[in-house]
Amino acid sequence: MFGQLRADTDPGVKPTWDALPPGVKTFLVDVVGTLMNIGILAGVAVLIAGLTVWGIGALSNRPGVGSVGVKIAFVSVGVAIGSAGANALIGFFAGQGATIFS
């Protein structure tokens, strides 16, 4: 069944904004864009804090504090990458969904 799917199939589903009052689409797009920017900025701020904790742990010869700083740094990098790439990920998986469910 899955071997017969083609990448150029169109499921025929088109988004519609007719049910919303005028101006709501631009408002929602602006809100989501703002939240993505806040996510990126928060990720970078936490990255700086995590690197600071990592450095303090390394300089004070406390490996427990250093390992917490490393975890904070890696998680914040993941959050920043996820926030920055959310639009591309949504577009990619929407295209994959069109090929799977056709």
Side-chain angles (χ1 to χ4, degrees):
M1 176 179 167
F2 290 109
Q4 300 173 352
L5 295 177
R6 295 186 341 217
D8 61 344
T9 55
D10 183 17
V13 178
K14 304 289 184 217
T16 179
W17 294 91
D18 296 338
L20 297 173
V24 173
K25 178 182 176 184
T26 57
F27 173 73
L28 291 175
V29 168
D30 290 343
V31 167
V32 170
T34 302
L35 290 175
M36 287 175 58
N37 285 335
I38 290 172
I40 293 169
L41 292 174
V44 171
V46 172
L47 174 64
I48 293 169
L51 293 175
T52 303
V53 170
W54 186 5
I56 290 172
L59 291 176
S60 65
N61 204 12
R62 298 174 69 187
V65 175
S67 68
V68 170
V70 171
K71 290 176 190 173
I72 292 171
F74 281 119
V75 169
S76 66
V77 167
V79 168
I81 290 172
S83 295
N87 194 19
L89 287 172
I90 290 169
F92 172 76
F93 287 113
Q96 294 301 313
T99 61
I100 292 172
F101 297 112
S102 61

